[in-house]
Amino acid sequence: QLQLVESGGGLVQPGGSLRLSCAASGFTLDYYSIGWFRQAPGKEREGVSCISSSGSDTNYADSVKGRFTISKDNAKNTVYLQMNSLKPDDTAVYYCAAIGAPCIDDLAEYYYWGQGTQVTVSS
């Protein structure tokens, strides 16, 4: 069964940190770019960050640049999203998704999705 499973979400105070994990099973991430997306209540799902299959190329939404870092461990078949200096506006359900191509902005092109993990930033 091909699937992605996110973990690491939770409740954190403003300024705090979390590390999200996206573990793949049933397929290898060696050949897939992985994107992190988020969806806040009442808002559309948006791209946060993406890492290429080799791990050599990454990109970030302007809203998270300098605060979030995406990384990939192919040996563990897992992608991470280190989130620092969290703000209340970062509150959302975070999803990871895979695409067998370079990172792109079109969510519809990603064909494997995880179930999401809730991140809540609040004092």
Side-chain angles (χ1 to χ4, degrees), residues 2-85:
L2 307 177
Q3 63 177 354
L4 294 170
V5 178
E6 303 96 336
S7 62
L11 173 64
V12 63
Q13 292 186 344
S17 298
L18 284 174
R19 188 178 80 157
L20 304 183
S21 298
C22 171
S25 61
F27 66 105
T28 175
L29 294 183
D30 289 3
Y31 307 109
Y32 291 85
S33 299
I34 298 295
W36 281 100
F37 302 85
R38 67 186 181 185
Q39 187 165 20
K43 295 187 177 181
E44 292 187 353
R45 194 170 297 189
E46 63 176 2
V48 175
S49 182
C50 190
I51 188 166
S52 64
S53 57
S54 67
S56 59
D57 296 316
T58 60
N59 60 52
Y60 299 91
D62 288 343
S63 58
V64 306
K65 278 181 183 176
R67 300 188 298 121
F68 291 11
T69 303
I70 192 169
S71 62
K72 194 177 188 188
D73 186 337
N74 281 348
K76 294 184 178 180
N77 221 25
T78 300
V79 169
Y80 303 98
L81 185 68
Q82 178 67 42
M83 307 187 297
N84 298 328
S85 303

Side-chain angles (χ1 to χ4, degrees), residues 68-113:
F68 291 11
T69 303
I70 192 169
S71 62
K72 194 177 188 188
D73 186 337
N74 281 348
K76 294 184 178 180
N77 221 25
T78 300
V79 169
Y80 303 98
L81 185 68
Q82 178 67 42
M83 307 187 297
N84 298 328
S85 303
L86 283 161
K87 305 174 182 180
D89 284 350
D90 295 318
T91 296
V93 178
Y94 283 71
Y95 302 88
C96 63
I99 182 172
C103 293
I104 60 174
D105 294 335
D106 188 351
L107 277 66
E109 297 296 323
Y110 289 77
Y111 34 81
Y112 299 140
W113 286 84

